[in-house]
Amino acid sequence: MRAQEVADRFVSQPSLRERAVGQLLVEGRQARFADLSAPLHPMLSAALRSSGIERFFTHQAQAIDASLAGRDVMVVSGTGSGKSLCYNVPALQACMTEPAATALYLFPTKALAQDQASKLESLTDTLGIRVGVYDGDTPRNRRAPIRRGAHVVVTNPDMLHVGILPRHEEWSKFLRALRYIVLDEAHVYGGVFGSHVACVLRRLLRLCAWYRSAPRVVSCSASVANPEGLFETLLGRTCVAVTDDGAPHSARTVLLVAPPQDEAAERFSPNMEAASLLAQMCENGVKTLTFCRARVSTELVVRYARKALDDDSLVESYRGGYTPKERRDIERRLFDGSLTGLATTSAMELGIDVGGLDAVVLNGYPGNFASFWQQIGRAGRGEKPGFAVMFAHEDPLENHLAHNPSALIANRQESVALNPQNAHVLAAQLRCAAYERPLSAEDLQDFGESAQDVAEDLDDAGQLTLSAGRYFLPSHEPPAGKVDIRGIGGEDVELFCGAEKIGEMERWRAVQYAHEGAVYMHRAKTYQVTALDLRGNAAHMEESEPGYYTQPVVQTLVQPTVELEQRRAVALCGMSVTTSVTGFRKIAHDGRGMLGTEPLDLPPTEFDSVGLRLSPFEEGAAPAAPQNDGGRRSICASGEGAAPAAPNQGSLIGAVHGVEHALLAVAPMIAV
């Protein structure tokens, strides 16, 4: 049975019929081809033909020509449009014409790196070009041979930051011969992560200059509205933007299901609905990927789907925190077709060709338009039509998008925002750079206009030392290992059941989801945490089936520290953010709702950021701040205390509370 037939039958149920409120139709288009300006190496041309590549799409030809002509390139084309050839062909051409040449491929996830490396190896079998994956999962005994002998090293920004750049002397041969840097899925590099990655890339280019290499850069994305600006912010260099997508695109249909608005809302469970559809797709042989926004949701969906299936081996879960062996096993089963359904986080949204995928189920709007189009683009590649269903959650923005699919069409690409001049990011990255090589004034210019001031502040604080016109790190220990480029820092916490390690998670996540009493779900198995040892970075648990799962109760205090800019009632401020986990809720698996709340006493997490402060009241007339209700609302404290609320201020408090909820709903569309 076809994917749309299964979905139509599913949503025809009385409880869902009226909630299927929108349908998004994307028309297909034919391919457009172009020839390269100059011939490729004969052996490379033969390898491409043997892989079924006879001609290049227009965007591929334009990108390859520009790259081979010595230009940096940024390619923006749709999912499944063959972007990998835009960097594979120039890099392999360099390796064929200059046998010692090397290339560095950076992917944001390990799954994507593994997928792309296997495809590249199938192309290079007859070329004598060695490809190596070098990341946290690479066994120790295989790392030195990759450093010494690989022509193409496939890794991620995290390993580049912590495992390659601080030990660049061991990579001197590779860096001296480096001809290409590949930065795939560039739209991922926004926010704090992107700001760190921009500095990591500058550290890399600085060392390349030291080793007298001048690599070209090829970057790709399926969904970026500001390609030239993003490229320049990430790398400090200009590029040729290739945006005329010549690949064929199949037609796509997306069914949008709104949350219930009546008494059924109390029993509404998007996890159960997504799991039920996933199970029905699998029963009918429809290969389906279900995207969830959180790790807990992923585990719940696969748990519910397996209960509904006679053969529970058809469905698996995939997310961060699994062991390398588990990830490779799931990827292998997905790629070879032995898995029919997979519940996953965004870890599977990026460019991975799972092959023969029939349908996608979105368990909620993923949070931004780029991820939405990436996820629905997983199904229906080439001429095969794609089909997806999105179950909107109880959220004003999601409900709006379900009823107004034109808003999704109008925002197929988003601008990516990052700030490598953020003082906290820059301070951490300058310490890392100074460890690799002392920083000169010229070096600091490459890190941006704020770098000199930040370096002077680090010198005053004793974290850098200025001597003979250069900044040195006054330590022999590499600082990179203590700089988390994806979040707010802290070492990973390992998860143990007895003596067996079953996974790991970031420290901040462990405080929320691996505290004592928490229920941890892992590939349809359930464990209960018996102890969280933050000093030893370990959580201990035992297999259990309590009949419920847990949710942390998180309180966040946002304290403005310094005002950076004021425009009427809105101020851009430095913010001190303190997050505390004060307890956890027990939620029944069988739909009976919350069973109770337990208190917790855990150390808070603190970090500095930048944010907006709204000041709708005159000074001294602000009503009392409402107490936090134990959920995820944030309280912004400004000053020593708020004036007590007068009786006539009740309506003002209600109005501010309404504005708060409106901002929470629309902020993701505005702030990216």
Side-chain angles (χ1 to χ4, degrees):
M1 188 178 292
R2 293 172 56 246
Q4 187 158 2
E5 293 174 342
V6 177
D8 287 344
R9 187 177 65 183
F10 181 78
V11 299
S12 67
Q13 301 174 66
S15 61
L16 292 170
R17 188 183 301 119
E18 293 182 357
R19 290 169 45 206
V21 294
Q23 187 162 282
L24 187 62
L25 302 174
V26 182
E27 294 183 359
R29 70 182 182 206
Q30 299 297 312
R32 291 179 291 117
F33 299 96
D35 296 325
L36 298 182
S37 299
L40 298 173
H41 190 284
M43 291 181 64
L44 176 56
S45 295
L48 290 168
R49 285 194 300 271
S50 66
S51 298
I53 301 165
E54 300 284 347
R55 305 175 67 188
F56 293 107
F57 301 132
T58 51
H59 67 281
Q60 293 172 332
Q62 184 184 351
I64 293 168
D65 281 342
S67 186
L68 292 178
R71 299 293 304 276
D72 291 335
V73 177
M74 176 74 177
V75 182
V76 180
S77 60
T79 54
S81 61
K83 288 186 290 294
S84 59
L85 282 180
C86 296
Y87 51 78
N88 281 339
V89 171
L92 297 181
Q93 174 76 357
C95 292
M96 294 304 296
T97 55
E98 183 186 352
T102 60
L104 182 68
Y105 284 25
L106 298 172
F107 298 100
T109 66
K110 294 175 182 177
L112 181 56
Q114 290 285 341
D115 180 52
Q116 292 295 329
S118 63
K119 292 179 182 177
L120 184 59
E121 287 173 337
S122 67
L123 187 60
T124 59
D125 275 347
T126 61
L127 301 179
I129 296 174
R130 295 181 293 277
V131 179
V133 177
Y134 194 93
D135 59 24
D137 294 346
T138 305
R140 295 283 177 181
N141 62 347
R142 293 177 55 188
R143 296 188 178 188
I146 291 173
R147 287 197 300 267
R148 291 193 295 261
H151 294 95
V152 180
V153 170
V154 179
T155 186
N156 52 55
D158 311 77
M159 180 56 81
L160 177 64
H161 159 65
V162 77
I164 296 178
L165 297 181
R167 305 171 64 180
H168 62 89
E169 295 91 349
E170 298 177 357
W171 291 84
S172 59
K173 177 184 174 184
F174 180 88
L175 292 173
R176 196 172 289 115
L178 190 60
R179 299 296 176 261
Y180 276 94
I181 298 170
V182 171
L183 189 68
D184 204 2
E185 303 293 354
H187 67 277
V188 173
Y189 301 114
V192 173
F193 181 40
S195 302
H196 274 291
V197 170
C199 294
V200 171
L201 292 170
R202 284 163 170 76
R203 287 162 52 197
L204 170 62
L205 293 172
R206 173 174 174 253
L207 291 176
C208 288
W210 167 254
Y211 287 109
R212 302 185 183 278
S213 64
R216 282 152 279 179
V217 180
V218 181
S219 186
C220 298
S221 176
S223 49
V224 171
N226 58 331
E228 296 99 331
L230 174 60
F231 190 96
E232 186 170 358
T233 306
L234 281 170
L235 291 137
R237 294 158 61 157
T238 59
C239 69
V240 173
V242 177
T243 59
D244 183 19
D245 185 355
H249 281 189
S250 62
R252 290 192 171 94
T253 302
V254 186
L255 188 63
L256 304 171
V257 182
Q261 301 298 314
D262 51 20
E263 63 276 1
E266 296 182 4
R267 303 184 300 277
F268 173 60
S269 171
N271 292 328
M272 287 186 174
E273 290 187 348
S276 181
L277 179 55
L278 174 61
Q280 291 193 30
M281 289 286 191
C282 292
E283 283 179 342
N284 288 275
V286 179
K287 193 170 183 181
T288 304
L289 208 57
T290 298
F291 284 103
C292 302
R293 297 187 306 197
R295 296 182 178 187
V296 172
S297 299
T298 299
E299 297 291 351
L300 287 171
V301 166
V302 75
R303 176 190 179 95
Y304 298 151
R306 284 186 170 183
K307 284 189 174 181
L309 287 167
D310 294 330
D311 182 1
D312 61 10
S313 67
L314 295 175
V315 179
E316 185 56 270
S317 54
Y318 187 95
R319 59 170 177 77
Y322 288 175
T323 65
K325 182 179 178 182
E326 286 177 316
R327 287 198 298 269
R328 298 297 89 79
D329 175 64
I330 296 168
E331 291 161 12
R332 176 188 57 77
R333 292 171 58 203
L334 182 64
F335 299 150
D336 68 21
S338 57
L339 271 179
T340 307
L342 188 73
T344 179
T345 58
S346 59
M348 274 286 170
E349 86 176 28
L350 298 175
I352 300 170
D353 185 2
V354 296
L357 192 64
D358 300 306
V360 167
V361 177
L362 273 62
N363 182 12
Y365 173 65
N368 59 70
F369 295 114
S371 289
F372 173 83
W373 288 103
Q374 285 281 149
Q375 291 180 8
I376 70 166
R378 294 302 97 204
R381 295 195 164 200
E383 297 181 356
K384 183 179 180 180
F387 182 77
V389 178
M390 185 181 86
F391 291 103
H393 288 198
E394 291 181 293
D395 174 271
L397 174 58
E398 296 198 33
N399 198 32
H400 167 76
L401 292 174
H403 285 85
N404 298 275
S406 59
L408 294 165
I409 288 285
N411 293 277
R412 295 196 63 172
Q413 294 181 338
E414 285 181 313
S415 293
V416 179
L418 64 151
N419 180 22
Q421 297 302 296
N422 178 290
H424 301 288
V425 171
L426 200 50
Q429 290 294 331
L430 289 181
R431 291 196 299 269
C432 297
Y435 173 84
E436 291 148 12
R437 282 198 58 76
L439 288 160
S440 66
E442 292 78 11
D443 293 331
L444 290 173
Q445 290 178 3
D446 293 335
F447 285 89
E449 58 186 18
S450 303
Q452 182 65 51
D453 291 340
V454 172
E456 291 174 1
D457 291 342
L458 291 172
D459 179 37
D460 293 341
Q463 297 182 41
L464 290 181
T465 300
L466 179 62
S467 177
R470 293 176 180 269
Y471 289 93
F472 293 77
L473 185 76
S475 171
H476 297 293
E477 292 294 323
K482 297 181 180 179
V483 177
D484 178 8
I485 67 173
R486 292 185 185 256
I488 57 177
E491 298 180 62
D492 284 350
V493 172
E494 297 182 310
L495 312 177
F496 293 94
C497 180
E500 180 187 4
K501 179 182 174 181
I502 60 173
E504 61 186 21
M505 60 176 63
E506 304 92 325
R507 183 183 179 91
W508 70 266
R509 196 187 301 271
V511 171
Q512 295 189 21
Y513 296 101
H515 53 75
E516 184 176 347
V519 173
Y520 177 72
M521 290 175 286
H522 185 95
R523 300 184 70 184
K525 288 186 177 181
T526 305
Y527 303 84
Q528 195 148 26
V529 180
T530 56
L532 173 61
D533 178 10
L534 290 175
R535 289 187 177 181
N537 294 316
H540 301 277
M541 54 192 70
E542 56 189 24
E543 198 163 345
S544 175
E545 186 53 69
Y548 60 84
Y549 62 96
T550 54
Q551 288 180 342
V553 178
V554 182
Q555 292 186 346
T556 302
L557 179 69
V558 182
Q559 176 72 49
T561 54
V562 59
E563 187 173 295
L564 305 175
E565 186 178 350
Q566 175 80 39
R567 294 186 184 180
R568 302 182 70 178
V570 182
L572 179 67
C573 298
M575 300 281 185
S576 173
V577 183
T578 303
T579 301
S580 303
V581 181
T582 61
F584 65 95
R585 303 184 183 94
K586 299 177 180 179
I587 312 295
H589 279 303
D590 59 8
R592 289 182 291 125
M594 189 169 67
L595 302 179
T597 303
E598 298 288 339
L600 288 171
D601 183 15
L602 292 168
T605 300
E606 300 178 359
F607 63 95
D608 294 319
S609 186
V610 176
L612 292 178
R613 183 187 67 210
L614 307 183
S615 305
F617 302 101
E618 294 181 4
E619 186 175 355
Q627 294 299 309
N628 191 294
D629 60 6
R632 289 185 172 274
R633 291 174 47 214
S634 298
I635 301 173
C636 180
S638 53
E640 295 299 320
N648 62 353
Q649 289 181 327
S651 59
L652 290 176
I653 294 174
V656 171
H657 187 60
V659 170
E660 173 194 6
H661 282 275
L663 288 173
L664 287 171
V666 302
M669 296 184 69
I670 299 170
V672 197

